[in-house]
Amino acid sequence: GESVGLHLPTLSVQEGDNSIINCAYSNSASDYFIWYKQESGKGPQFIIDIRSNMDKRQGQRVTVLLNKTVKHLSLQIAATQPGDSAVYFCAETFTGANSKLTFGKGITLSVRP
Amino acid sequence: DTAVSQTPKYLVTQMGNDKSIKCEQNLGHDTMYWYKQDSKKFLKIMFSYNNKELIINETVPNRFSPKSPDKAHLNLHINSLELGDSAVYFCASSRRTGGNTIYFGEGSWLTVV
């Protein structure tokens, strides 16, 4: 079946460093991708999205890169802060009626002071 | 104002009981969802409603019965609760189906003892 997965279950970074969280997807029909951040005791929070007609999209301190050739998605966080500590999920879907948003397994980002 | 709100946040109940979780969104979205997050943080869709009509039912046991009285509300009723139903249940909404950002509530922690 189709799946969305993350390469690493945990990531530990030093405060101030850049973080890169990677995600592989396998549904070639997916054309819309979202990164979510989930803090402890809270719901998933939208961070940034990208559609398949783009390779890169930037937000505030975050950048998402999409490589459709190898079905790879990454989230880059610049100058990682303690408040960035959370579980991060990539999710994929396609622009069709009644399509589902499928989540990856999640990766924990831990920021060392 | 909370965009997607669900109650209760915490629920502890005995096996065999029936319980409900309520959800409301004030975003004016047409589509609402219920997701289940297990102990390994894996998020999986359970149901999706568009304008009060069921459009996705992910082979969830029929002990789970969603009800949408209007497009701003999607409640989840669970009959004959089992230990395996213990999880975090997230309500969510999106502007419409397919290829749209989904916004999540804060979650309802259900513990069945």
Side-chain angles (χ1 to χ4, degrees), chain B residues 24-107:
Chain B
E24 176 183 6
Q25 54 93 5
N26 62 5
L27 297 167
H29 289 167
D30 286 347
T31 309
M32 295 187 72
Y33 311 82
W34 279 107
Y35 277 80
K36 180 179 180 180
Q37 188 172 45
D38 62 22
S39 58
K40 296 180 181 178
K41 299 281 189 181
F42 187 67
L43 272 161
K44 184 172 169 55
I45 190 169
M46 299 173 68
F47 301 102
S48 174
Y49 271 71
N50 188 60
N51 275 320
K52 302 191 298 177
E53 290 190 23
L54 178 68
I55 56 172
I56 294 177
N57 182 340
E58 282 292 291
T59 59
V60 178
N62 57 16
R63 297 183 295 104
F64 291 78
S65 52
K67 284 186 172 51
S68 183
D70 55 63
K71 74 174 190 178
H73 295 84
L74 180 62
N75 303 321
L76 183 65
H77 188 75
I78 314 171
N79 290 325
S80 303
L81 278 156
E82 301 177 356
L83 293 176
D85 297 332
S86 296
V88 186
Y89 293 86
F90 287 100
C91 179
S93 73
S94 64
R95 187 173 301 174
R96 47 185 180 275
T97 66
N100 283 267
T101 304
I102 295 180
Y103 297 91
F104 286 82
E106 293 291 89

Side-chain angles (χ1 to χ4, degrees), chain A residues 12 30 87-88 98 110:
Chain A
S12 180
S30 294
V87 177
Y88 289 81
N98 305 339
S110 177

